[in-house]
Amino acid sequence: ARFMITLTIDGIQVEVPEGTTVLEAAEAAGVKIPRLCYHPSLIPYGGCRLCMVEVEGARILQPSCTLPVNNAMVVHTNTPKTQEARKFVLAMLFSERNHFCMYCQETDGDCELQAAAYEQGLTHWPLTPDYMPYAVDASHPYIFQENNRCILCRRCVRVCGEKVGNFTLGFEDRGASSILVADYGVPLGESSCVSCGACVQICPTGALMDRRSAYLGRETDLTHTVTVCTDCSLGCERDVLTRDNHLVRIEGIWDSPMNEGLLCKQGRYEPLEIGYKRFTTPLIRKDGKLEPTTWEVALKIAAEKLQKAPHNSKAAFVSARLPLETLTNVSELFQTGLKSTRIYLTEDDEAALCSTRLADDLDEPFESDLTALKAVDAALIIGIDLQKDHQVAGFFLKRQNWGGTQLITVSEQPNGLYPYSAVRLKLQEGQYLDFVDGFMFARLIHLQINQKYSEKKLASIVEKTSMDEKSLRKAAQVLTEAEHPVIVVGGDFTIEENYEALLHLALFAQGENIPILIIKGKANSLAAAQLRYQVLPDNKPIETALIALGDETPSPMLIERCEEIPSLVVYASYPSALTERADVILPATMWAEESGHYLSTDGRLQESKPALIAPEGVRSSLEVINALADLVGLSSMKTWKEALTAEPVSVQLKM
């Protein structure tokens, strides 16, 4: 436990834990100290010198953001000496670059430099500006880099390294001539940038700007709605900013416990690229053409088509990006109302289905939560590319990799984490069980248990598969010697053919008390698996199908599967190859208009609220499914909580 320290700040006595900085102690006491380079999510840097304070007994002013508190310390934050120092710092900043606030989109409330100047009563330039103009870098698809607005606070550089682990950004040259660069001075759009946008969000001025939201409104003009990202199953919390019922931008929430303000490209930028051609009225097919109709007529025809089809030839294909309430009611509609168990996910997501099957076999929750990724010294990553998919989980491991965390990547396909890995093992198709067995024997050899037998078995596996024995042994050594190891699996590994290997690995993780995470696919994949949804089916005939896409783009696999289905009822936001063949089209809300609950890959239940009002004539997925349930005579349905806990679950549910 940390000792408590008592100090006085501007006459206020404060008690804080040992190791707290003066700035943090001042915040706790309600005393505001100006700052620019400081950000609570980053390691204190002490570069801007705006937060200087007077400490009794100290010869010179001290930077409060990096100064640890001491017992009986007496601090003065707002004296003539500190005010003079702050005005001087601001005067220098305004003189070094082109800070013409009237021409910058961050002005009037969004720029921390301008706000600091107003706080210090700076209404003019004390020093005549003397700067070298820089070209604007507009090469990036999402970000403007405007070095003329930069104040050299290095927040962007620090967040890219400390939080994301990407280290794309840095500075070259010195002093006032320092300039922000990507990699070795290449345009930002050609660099190693992964488009997570953390640098833009954390920039205190207009040096890094969001291309889409530039000049669409000041912070005070925007409405904030806290939602859950519905792209993948990590369940990242995010803030959706809107104005006049239009999307402006998406930001992370720095104090969010799981994703810590981090988002990936799919969570921050891609959701804003919505299609503007969307369905706003129901359509039915007449004489080969789709024609507008009323909701009542469209729902009646849809219900009749579903009811008329024989029980074993009707199916539902449902997006795992839809809310839990909708997934539950589709399941009830088909199993109870329409007497069909043929309910499928629109994308092949065997990871979630394998998790629930393992829960049946192991009879208790066995998966860890995502916090297990945040303090590890070794990670075994099998069958999933965290540099490409589920990037926020990859950020946690990449940033620790620079501090010595060793990564072991095992995959059939080229993997984006290979450059960061201490051990890389590329497998041939169907070799995952061999890898798991080989890994177990290599581990026994390292522990000197049944050594001769284990060496014989390992040699046999290596001979059969041509796997690199040295890499296998190194992987076993790294994971065995680690104090805080973790196992992350998904994608290629979690398919039905590899189930035995996955079961072996899960039992090993349980026995050794190693956290194991199975990363599922889309937002509500785990909930769908709990509700006993299936993956895309075989070619048994289907006469009529309800396809609840929402705003999801149908996968080629789904389009191919639906080509042989004579009658389609499609709930969708946008035109696609499936809506072209539909008999009934029901206009769908898109992600920012839906509300409901989402179950993350590690069992966190979160509620997402709508940030936009849907166009007139568009109905939510739950409204549509409930209306169909009424029309087929289904009077009562299980609640989603009952349905979710009816079967064993692989994770500890946090409801």
Side-chain angles (χ1 to χ4, degrees):
R2 290 196 292 174
F3 294 109
M4 297 303 287
I5 284 176
T6 303
L7 70 158
T8 304
I9 302 176
D10 290 349
I12 303 168
Q13 198 170 74
V14 193
E15 189 178 58
V16 292
E18 182 185 26
T20 304
T21 64
V22 168
L23 191 146
E24 290 166 340
E27 297 270 301
V31 175
K32 175 78 187 302
I33 298 177
R35 81 293 299 270
L36 283 172
C37 71
Y38 172 81
H39 191 277
S41 296
L42 301 176
I43 297 168
Y45 170 63
C48 73
R49 313 313 260 190
L50 195 64
C51 70
M52 304 294 272
V53 294
E54 276 195 78
V55 178
E56 289 188 8
R59 187 171 56 85
I60 58 174
L61 295 178
Q62 302 291 315
S64 62
C65 70
T66 57
L67 181 66
V69 295
N70 281 323
N71 241 337
M73 179 186 270
V74 179
V75 179
H76 303 284
T77 71
N78 195 20
T79 66
K81 199 173 177 181
T82 60
Q83 288 178 355
E84 183 184 356
R86 288 168 190 160
K87 284 181 180 177
F88 177 73
V89 166
L90 290 167
M92 293 297 291
L93 286 173
F94 274 98
S95 72
E96 288 171 356
R97 294 288 164 97
N98 177 357
H99 297 296
F100 286 83
C101 295
M102 64 289 291
Y103 303 121
C104 178
Q105 79 114 6
E106 300 290 334
T107 194
D108 291 337
D110 293 357
C111 176
E112 293 180 36
L113 175 65
Q114 188 193 50
Y118 283 148
E119 282 174 11
Q120 299 306 312
L122 210 66
T123 56
H124 63 284
W125 289 313
L127 299 171
T128 304
D130 179 24
Y131 57 84
M132 175 75 71
Y134 295 104
V136 176
D137 181 354
S139 62
H140 197 283
Y142 305 116
I143 301 167
F144 284 128
Q145 184 181 337
E146 168 54 304
N147 271 304
N148 298 291
R149 306 283 191 249
C150 183
I151 58 170
L152 313 184
C153 70
R154 288 171 169 75
R155 276 199 202 172
C156 55
V157 176
R158 290 147 61 205
V159 80
C160 188
E162 291 175 26
K163 303 290 281 186
V164 181
N166 217 51
F167 291 92
T168 296
L169 300 175
F171 276 87
E172 66 179 25
D173 222 322
R174 293 184 179 186
S177 300
S178 298
I179 184 169
L180 179 67
V181 295
D183 295 335
Y184 294 101
V186 301
L188 188 60
E190 298 171 18
S191 71
S192 59
C193 172
V194 293
S195 300
C196 71
C199 58
V200 179
Q201 185 176 332
I202 211 163
C203 177
T205 64
L208 291 166
M209 291 192 292
D210 183 272
R211 291 181 73 123
R212 189 184 188 279
S213 68
Y215 303 102
L216 290 184
R218 298 189 297 269
E219 191 75 21
T220 50
D221 300 328
L222 304 179
T223 301
H224 295 252
T225 308
V226 176
T227 68
V228 181
C229 181
T230 59
D231 186 74
C232 82
S233 59
L234 294 186
C236 294
E237 200 173 27
R238 61 186 181 183
D239 185 10
V240 179
L241 280 67
T242 56
R243 184 183 185 190
D244 298 332
N245 208 40
H246 286 84
L247 289 169
V248 175
R249 65 178 178 270
I250 296 171
E251 293 189 340
I253 300 168
W254 295 116
D255 57 1
S256 180
M258 199 295 285
N259 56 307
E260 302 172 5
L262 298 177
L263 296 171
C264 65
K265 179 173 71 173
Q266 288 86 352
R268 188 187 296 267
Y269 292 120
E270 290 187 358
L272 300 174
E273 298 172 6
I274 57 176
Y276 287 96
K277 185 181 180 184
R278 63 181 293 189
F279 299 115
T280 55
T281 186
L283 302 170
I284 56 172
R285 193 169 294 279
K286 281 186 180 178
D287 302 323
K289 291 184 178 180
L290 287 167
E291 296 185 1
T293 187
T294 65
W295 268 102
E296 288 68 25
V297 170
L299 287 167
K300 185 180 177 185
I301 292 172
E304 286 172 356
K305 286 183 176 294
L306 290 168
Q307 279 183 303
K308 283 179 183 176
H311 293 165
N312 62 349
S313 69
K314 63 187 78 172
F317 297 84
V318 187
S319 168
R321 294 178 69 237
L322 292 175
L324 178 50
E325 292 85 341
T326 300
L327 297 179
T328 303
N329 287 10
V330 169
S331 176
E332 282 287 296
L333 169 64
F334 269 76
Q335 294 191 72
T336 307
L338 298 171
K339 311 301 180 193
S340 171
T341 58
R342 302 184 73 177
I343 52 172
Y344 305 103
L345 292 173
T346 55
E347 289 202 359
D348 191 346
D349 191 1
E350 292 200 53
L353 301 178
C354 278
S355 278
T356 52
R357 186 176 164 194
L358 281 168
D360 292 341
D361 286 350
L362 299 175
D363 206 30
E364 62 179 10
F366 65 92
E367 287 189 65
S368 180
D369 59 40
L370 286 163
T371 57
L373 295 177
K374 295 184 182 181
V376 301
D377 50 6
L380 173 60
I381 307 158
I382 313 179
I384 188 168
D385 188 349
L386 293 177
Q387 177 79 338
K388 177 172 167 283
D389 305 308
H390 310 282
Q391 277 190 336
V392 172
F395 296 160
F396 297 151
L397 294 178
K398 275 170 60 182
R399 73 191 188 195
Q400 293 174 93
N401 179 241
W402 295 96
T405 293
Q406 297 192 79
L407 307 184
I408 307 159
T409 50
V410 181
S411 65
E412 291 178 356
Q413 305 300 326
N415 194 301
L417 283 181
Y418 273 14
Y420 304 91
S421 300
V423 183
R424 309 187 256 301
L425 202 61
K426 191 173 183 302
L427 306 183
Q428 301 302 314
E429 189 174 349
Q431 288 187 348
Y432 280 113
L433 181 57
D434 293 315
F435 162 74
V436 171
D437 288 345
F439 173 80
M440 300 295 189
F441 287 119
R443 185 174 172 277
L444 291 175
I445 292 167
H446 181 70
L447 293 171
Q448 298 182 341
I449 299 172
N450 295 334
Q451 199 153 357
K452 285 188 179 178
Y453 174 77
S454 297
E455 284 178 350
K456 184 179 176 183
K457 295 295 288 185
L458 180 61
S460 170
I461 291 168
V462 167
E463 185 181 356
K464 182 178 90 171
T465 61
S466 300
M467 272 191 282
D468 181 37
E469 183 177 351
K470 188 177 176 183
S471 294
L472 264 174
R473 287 180 177 243
K474 175 74 171 172
Q477 177 191 346
V478 168
L479 204 75
T480 302
E481 292 180 356
E483 289 185 25
H484 303 288
V486 68
I487 299 172
V488 185
V489 299
D492 297 336
F493 186 48
T494 50
I495 58 175
E496 191 63 27
E497 289 83 352
N498 297 327
Y499 180 76
E500 186 182 351
L502 187 59
L503 180 59
H504 287 186
L505 198 68
L507 287 167
F508 163 72
Q510 271 192 318
E512 297 297 321
N513 201 26
I514 298 174
I516 184 170
L517 287 155
I518 299 176
I519 306 290
K520 291 80 177 177
K522 295 295 181 183
N524 255 332
S525 293
L526 177 58
Q530 281 299 111
L531 297 168
R532 293 317 191 218
Y533 277 68
Q534 303 164 56
V535 295
L536 287 173
D538 54 29
N539 290 317
K540 291 179 183 175
I542 297 173
E543 189 174 305
T544 302
L546 169 66
I547 304 171
L549 277 178
D551 62 3
E552 187 173 296
T553 302
S555 66
M557 197 183 301
L558 177 64
I559 293 169
E560 182 183 351
R561 183 64 188 91
C562 291
E563 281 175 356
E564 305 300 320
I565 301 174
S567 182
L568 298 179
V569 175
V570 183
Y571 172 76
S573 303
Y574 307 112
S576 68
L578 292 181
T579 59
E580 286 176 10
R581 294 189 50 251
D583 297 303
V584 181
I585 296 175
L586 305 172
T589 48
M590 43 80 77
W591 66 267
E593 298 158 356
E594 274 277 18
S595 63
H597 288 84
Y598 289 85
L599 188 69
S600 70
T601 194
D602 59 348
R604 284 171 293 110
L605 189 72
Q606 298 169 285
E607 185 178 5
S608 188
K609 296 177 181 176
L612 298 176
I613 300 169
E616 191 177 349
V618 173
R619 295 189 184 179
S620 74
S621 56
L622 189 61
E623 286 179 292
V624 170
I625 299 305
N626 287 349
L628 288 172
D630 289 341
L631 287 168
V632 302
L634 184 59
S635 56
S636 64
M637 292 190 274
K638 283 182 192 172
T639 67
W640 57 266
K641 283 189 178 179
E642 290 173 327
L644 196 61
T645 54
E647 303 283 349
V649 63
S650 62
V651 296
Q652 197 72 47
L653 295 181
K654 303 164 194 73
M655 300 170 67

